[in-house]
Amino acid sequence: MKRFQPCFQVFLMIVACASLVGCPQLTPYLVVSPRVIDFGSTGVEESFTIYNAGAGALTYTVEVDTADDIDWLSADVTAGTVISDMQRITLTADRALLVARPGSPYEATVTVATNGGTETLNVYLTMPGTPLLNVVPATLTLGDALDEGTLTIQNLGDDTLTWDITVFDPDNEDATAPVTATPSAGNTAAGGETEITVEVDREGLDVGVYGYTIRVNSDGGIVDVTLNLAVDASAEIGVEPLLLDFGTELSELTFDVYNTGPAGTLLEFTVSTDREDLIFLDPTSGTSVGAITDTGDGSLVGELDRQTVSVLIDRTALTSSIDGGTIFVSAPGLDDVEIAVTVEAAPLTIEGALNRTRPPFLMRFVFLLRDPVGDAIDTTNPAIFTDPDGLRFTIWEDDELIDADETNTFIAGPESLRFDLVMMLDNTGSMYNAEGGGGTVIDQMNEGAKAFIEDLPESWRVAVMEYHERQQANRLLQTFTTDRDPLIEAIDTFSLPEAEHGASEIYDALYDACERLQNEDVGKVAFDDADVRAVVFISDGRDTSSIHTLDEVIAFARDADVRTRFYPIGFGENVNSAPLIKLATETGGHYYRAGDSDRLMELLEQDPDALGADPPGVIATDLSRQMVLTYVTLFQEGSHTYLIEVDYQDVEGSFEEDAVYSIGGDVRAGQIAMHTSGIQSNGRAEVFVRTEYVPRNINYLRFRFIAPAGLTPTADNIDLLDTSGGLLSGWRLIDEGGGVFSLLTEEDNYLQYGAFGNLMRLSFEGLDPATDSFELGLRVDNSVYVNPPLTKFFQYPGDMLNPDVTLTVGQEASTAPLKRIITVDDDFDPDAPNAWDRDEDGVPDFDDLFPDDPDHS
């Protein structure tokens, strides 16, 4: 079948662009990957890509700037244009212009300037034959009980490092320091280490704390190590507070550790807990310098050097309604200090309910409800919304209960969600070597990931990414699609040589995933974009190489334009769970713990042999139990506070947050859109007609579908949705022929004010998923609502504010949205004589294939 392109569609676009309405603004958006390039000590060519994640033409220039006034770096392309593809730029380093220099890499920047933003890449290069000094630790503390310690000299370069050591008092460099370093000089091979013994002689020293500098001089750089030496003076542990009460809602609290010993003493402490399943600590060690000086007259001078430790809780580990544990603060030679932790089971947890808004005055929340033991409440059972002991919601705005007589509240299950999800696979060295090594766990992870993807609802769009090394140029294996076959194939066909399983760069990978999720919805208005954006990923919680920090990733994910939820799986016996819990709780996601590969598989795919059935895994089950709460706020604009209270089987929960209600609009204007998952592998395409907002007193709808010859819909391929106790309960469909349909009901069975959901499904059979594509147009007959002063109307793809919009039914998922929603400021009069004949040619828009051209009808 050839690609259908109806002539009326082409003409419509030309006419629309020539009219006063104007063409839609095409906005390019620059994405560059990677942002850091390291040539190492041997590389001469590296590349990066320029991608246009927006619309229209992205014009760019590339400028290279070297920091040493030596033009050793060049780009093969310095200017161009990107529309929908990617441009790869190759950078070449001319090493003949450079000389080896100890401990100092060459640096450059590459600036990509475009009409869709500017990005700067950092470039590094080291010359072969360069030794590079590093010394650990940076500070050495010898308390009263220690007469010696050790330092390690490391050569991070690729040539022999020659070094020597001097020790001195930084306040009096001519004085003899009572410190000996052995050996005091030597050579260290490339990539090698040399251990240094540091001995001290306290004889003749007064009581106090002394500071010395151990300087390592080398042909690969100079490093100073601070030596703290205590004489009859010791640190003391101070902790505040000694009780952490998380109650029923809190997931993170902090305490401070500080040194109450004399000024100059060093407290090197560790923190641990007897409930590693429940309590997670970050950091688990630290240093505090004594700063309090006794002046001798009874007064103390100085400020405590407080080190803050974050404590996070995983409530799924609770063993009773009130649980807890103990945190221990320890230091060598000192008694432990204990902190008591108490946690109560949350009666009902609302997970992820941040508000979204859309004209006219719509408020929407997508969230998950968890019962007191942490299980997701099953919203796939319709009875939960009708049973007397089912879900009940109460909404307060600025401490006032919203008036149910003047507005409406709607609750829907997960079937109406638009969901974009990234499955992120861990291919790092630690994962490859887990549980005996050889990549066995990676193979199990891949099998579980495939089962997880197949268990997700068919309408959800999924992408697959992986991370295995720092500065990774591309992490994407398969872009977003509803077709599961290419997703499974991408996992099956990807492999890495053993030596390529490298460092963990999870924060950068998550940032990348957030950008990709955001770019999928560039240009879409609220509610036409994804209701939920999520990343399911596997990690041991130890990021070794990222440029982005934990807080930066969380802040980006929480941005109103990004709205991404993280669902981390902490894998392994020794997981650093604290950052993973923080990623989950602060973005509205959830943390899952997998101590071994068996539990990992259970989270991704249940064992049908053990259960006697084939249910989805734990995470897929949880995600598919999301629900949607929508209501029409009575506020016009401004900042307000909302409070949602939930009652389920006599258990209560609540969620409160500030929100900005800048969501005006014309309450008379309903909203209709279309979307499709594209032509599936079986040759079938489904198109859903959906409303996001219904004005008051609507009991009749009339549609016209404009399709190529041979594809005009009939009653045989249209199904009304939600007709049994739902949105269209009691409605019926009348086929008037020629693609025209009426939806009728009794006069008093009008749609609820503010209602939303799918209205009908159109099915097209016998298509070729590889080659076929066609445009589907829509008209809504607004003339049937003209009834001054009670006139209502519907906006739809192809109306006066969206004249060029049709739905593309092809190989990919697509939406025919409202690019612009009418407001009262648009000065539109639905009762005007030609309100529904905008080219005033006597043919109503509903019947006019060229509604903006009076010479064609």
Side-chain angles (χ1 to χ4, degrees):
M1 182 182 292
K2 66 180 181 180
R3 175 181 176 89
F4 294 101
Q5 182 64 57
C7 61
F8 77 88
Q9 174 62 22
V10 177
F11 192 81
L12 270 175
M13 184 173 294
I14 296 172
V15 172
C17 290
S19 68
L20 292 177
V21 175
C23 289
Q25 183 67 35
L26 301 178
T27 304
Y29 182 83
L30 171 66
V31 175
V32 173
S33 178
R35 294 174 178 167
V36 176
I37 293 177
D38 189 351
F39 281 86
S41 61
T42 59
V44 293
E45 281 193 359
E46 296 286 345
S47 65
F48 66 92
T49 57
I50 297 173
Y51 173 60
N52 182 6
L58 179 82
T59 58
Y60 68 86
T61 59
V62 178
E63 181 179 347
V64 177
D65 182 19
T66 55
D68 299 276
D69 295 328
I70 304 172
D71 296 330
W72 58 269
L73 184 66
S74 62
D76 66 334
V77 179
T78 58
T81 300
V82 177
I83 298 178
S84 61
D85 54 350
M86 291 187 292
Q87 174 67 56
R88 182 170 293 276
I89 308 295
T90 299
L91 300 177
T92 302
D94 187 351
R95 291 181 175 272
L97 300 176
L98 305 176
V99 297
R101 56 187 190 185
S104 180
Y106 287 90
E107 300 181 12
T109 59
V110 177
T111 301
V112 182
T114 76
N115 58 335
T118 299
E119 292 283 359
T120 299
L121 291 75
N122 294 319
V123 183
Y124 303 96
L125 176 146
T126 56
M127 288 297 291
T130 304
L132 180 59
L133 172 67
N134 188 50
V135 182
V136 291
T139 300
L140 181 63
T141 299
L142 300 179
D144 285 329
L146 297 175
D147 293 326
E148 68 176 44
T150 58
L151 298 175
T152 301
I153 292 177
Q154 300 174 331
N155 182 3
L156 304 182
D158 50 14
D159 200 2
T160 300
L161 177 76
T162 300
W163 50 267
D164 62 75
I165 298 175
T166 57
V167 185
F168 57 89
D169 183 344
D171 296 326
N172 183 6
E173 295 190 18
D174 294 330
T176 300
V179 181
T180 303
T182 305
S184 60
N187 299 314
T188 302
E193 296 182 347
T194 302
E195 188 172 283
I196 307 298
T197 300
V198 179
E199 297 178 287
V200 299
D201 181 6
R202 289 182 173 81
E203 186 176 350
L205 295 179
D206 295 331
V207 173
V209 179
Y210 298 82
Y212 298 97
T213 298
I214 302 174
R215 175 164 293 171
V216 182
N217 302 275
S218 80
D219 58 355
I222 299 174
V223 173
D224 286 343
V225 175
T226 299
L227 170 64
N228 295 307
L229 175 62
V231 179
D232 294 330
S234 61
E236 297 292 337
I237 302 175
V239 175
E240 188 179 36
L242 295 175
L243 172 64
L244 298 178
D245 185 358
F246 285 83
T248 60
E249 296 182 358
L250 297 177
S251 60
E252 182 177 7
L253 290 171
T254 63
F255 65 89
D256 287 344
V257 180
Y258 46 87
N259 183 359
T260 60
T265 57
L266 199 68
L267 174 67
E268 295 183 316
F269 65 89
T270 59
V271 292
S272 59
T273 178
D274 61 353
R275 286 295 305 276
E276 294 182 350
D277 60 329
L278 173 68
I279 302 169
F280 302 92
L281 306 163
D282 185 29
T284 57
S285 63
T287 301
S288 176
V289 179
I292 304 301
T293 300
D294 188 343
T295 62
D297 61 0
S299 61
L300 300 177
V301 179
E303 294 184 1
L304 294 171
D305 180 21
R306 294 177 176 268
Q307 305 297 313
T308 300
V309 178
S310 295
V311 183
L312 295 102
I313 297 299
D314 180 11
R315 279 193 167 78
T316 60
L318 292 176
T319 59
S320 60
S321 60
I322 300 178
D323 202 352
T326 303
I327 297 172
F328 305 95
V329 182
S330 309
L334 301 176
D335 293 334
D336 291 351
V337 176
E338 297 182 0
I339 303 171
V341 177
T342 60
V343 187
E344 295 180 57
L348 200 63
T349 302
I350 304 177
E351 195 172 82
L354 295 175
N355 82 296
R356 304 177 64 205
T357 61
R358 170 165 166 165
F361 311 106
L362 297 176
M363 298 285 287
R364 178 165 294 176
F365 309 83
V366 181
F367 53 91
L368 190 73
L369 287 176
R370 294 190 180 273
D371 62 21
V373 297
D375 292 335
I377 293 174
D378 187 4
T379 55
T380 61
N381 180 3
I384 196 172
F385 303 113
T386 57
D387 191 284
D389 292 327
L391 284 172
R392 296 291 179 270
F393 290 86
T394 306
I395 302 171
W396 303 73
E397 292 184 325
D398 287 355
D399 299 324
E400 294 289 336
L401 184 66
I402 64 170
D403 191 338
D405 292 330
E406 297 191 5
T407 189
N408 281 321
T409 301
F410 303 92
I411 303 169
E415 66 280 349
S416 61
L417 281 175
R418 295 184 180 91
F419 208 114
D420 284 356
L421 182 144
V422 172
M423 181 70 208
M424 180 81 71
L425 303 176
D426 181 353
N427 283 290
T428 60
S430 59
M431 194 70 166
Y432 181 83
N433 292 303
E435 296 188 8
T440 302
V441 173
I442 288 180
D443 292 339
Q444 291 177 301
M445 172 189 70
N446 290 341
E447 291 304 311
K450 290 188 294 183
F452 166 76
I453 290 171
E454 290 179 330
D455 285 337
L456 297 174
E458 293 180 356
S459 62
W460 290 11
R461 302 172 69 242
V462 182
V464 178
M465 297 176 65
E466 66 85 29
Y467 67 103
H468 66 266
E469 179 61 293
R470 58 183 170 179
Q471 299 177 5
Q472 196 169 326
N474 182 34
R475 303 181 182 91
L476 184 67
L477 299 185
Q478 171 60 48
T479 191
F480 291 93
T481 178
T482 58
D483 190 344
R484 301 305 185 237
D485 289 342
L487 296 165
I488 302 305
E489 183 180 0
I491 296 175
D492 283 337
T493 56
F494 179 78
S495 64
L496 284 173
E498 178 180 352
E500 292 293 336
H501 295 276
S504 173
E505 199 180 50
I506 184 59
Y507 297 154
D508 288 351
L510 293 176
Y511 202 97
D512 185 359
C514 289
E515 287 184 321
R516 293 181 186 276
L517 284 160
Q518 180 188 22
N519 292 339
E520 285 298 302
D521 288 325
V522 170
K524 295 180 181 177
V525 298
F527 298 9
D528 286 332
D529 56 5
D531 293 303
V532 178
R533 300 178 185 135
V535 182
V536 176
F537 67 96
I538 302 164
S539 173
D540 64 3
R542 290 176 174 81
D543 187 298
T544 60
S545 307
S546 284
I547 297 172
H548 294 99
T549 65
L550 172 66
D551 290 339
E552 286 174 347
V553 173
I554 291 174
F556 184 52
R558 285 176 58 90
D559 185 274
D561 293 328
V562 182
R563 295 184 297 98
T564 299
R565 304 176 185 183
F566 293 134
Y567 295 86
I569 303 173
F571 176 76
E573 295 180 356
N574 186 22
V575 177
N576 182 23
S577 297
L580 301 181
I581 292 175
K582 193 168 185 178
L583 284 165
T585 56
E586 295 197 15
T587 62
H590 192 75
Y591 173 65
Y592 299 90
R593 181 76 173 89
D596 54 32
S597 56
D598 289 341
R599 177 56 178 168
L600 176 62
M601 293 301 292
E602 184 179 341
L603 292 171
L604 296 175
E605 177 190 18
Q606 298 275 25
D607 183 359
D609 294 332
L611 299 173
D614 191 14
V618 174
I619 300 177
T621 298
D622 284 359
L623 292 177
S624 63
R625 290 179 174 180
Q626 305 270 346
M627 69 177 65
V628 187
L629 169 66
T630 298
Y631 72 94
V632 184
T633 178
L634 297 176
F635 285 126
Q636 296 275 16
E637 59 183 12
S639 298
H640 305 274
T641 297
Y642 63 83
L643 169 65
I644 301 174
E645 295 179 334
V646 189
D647 186 293
Y648 175 65
Q649 295 181 346
D650 295 327
V651 179
E652 297 180 350
S654 64
F655 182 88
E656 184 173 12
E657 188 134 337
D658 295 332
V660 177
Y661 292 70
S662 55
I663 50 171
D666 193 328
V667 295
R668 301 170 299 174
Q671 301 169 16
I672 302 288
M674 295 188 294
H675 66 94
T676 179
S677 294
I679 303 172
Q680 302 304 300
S681 57
N682 60 4
R684 176 184 175 90
E686 294 183 341
V687 173
F688 292 87
V689 180
R690 178 182 177 86
T691 177
E692 292 295 354
Y693 166 74
V694 174
R696 296 183 190 272
N697 196 27
I698 297 296
N699 52 28
Y700 176 53
L701 292 164
R702 192 164 183 251
F703 296 97
R704 178 188 295 276
F705 296 101
I706 307 171
L711 293 176
T712 300
T714 68
D716 292 336
N717 60 329
I718 292 185
D719 297 309
L720 292 189
L721 301 176
D722 215 2
T723 58
S724 178
L727 181 64
L728 293 181
S729 179
W731 287 63
R732 59 189 182 277
L733 178 71
I734 304 296
D735 185 353
E736 300 182 24
V740 178
F741 300 87
S742 291
L743 275 67
L744 306 172
T745 187
E746 303 300 326
E747 184 175 354
D748 59 354
N749 189 37
Y750 48 81
L751 294 174
Q752 287 184 286
Y753 169 49
F756 69 96
N758 290 322
L759 298 173
M760 62 177 71
R761 176 179 57 216
L762 286 70
S763 301
F764 299 89
E765 305 281 357
L767 302 172
D768 187 332
T771 61
D772 285 351
S773 179
F774 65 91
E775 305 293 322
L776 183 66
L778 175 68
R779 298 279 190 273
V780 178
D781 190 356
N782 283 317
S783 64
V784 300
Y785 305 119
V786 176
N787 182 24
L790 306 177
T791 297
K792 312 292 189 304
F793 60 98
F794 279 90
Q795 286 193 256
Y796 55 88
D799 72 0
M800 62 279 189
L801 292 180
N802 307 274
D804 62 329
V805 181
T806 59
L807 181 70
T808 300
V809 183
Q811 285 72 48
E812 299 179 354
S814 180
T815 300
L818 300 180
K819 292 185 176 180
R820 184 181 166 201
I821 299 174
I822 198 167
T823 69
V824 291
D825 298 329
D826 286 309
D827 195 26
F828 173 73
D829 182 5
D831 296 316
N834 290 305
W836 311 112
D837 179 13
R838 55 186 193 259
D839 61 6
E840 301 183 14
D841 65 351
V843 179
D845 296 344
F846 184 77
D847 300 313
D848 195 343
L849 293 181
F850 302 90
D852 295 296
D853 184 0
D855 295 327
H856 294 80
S857 61

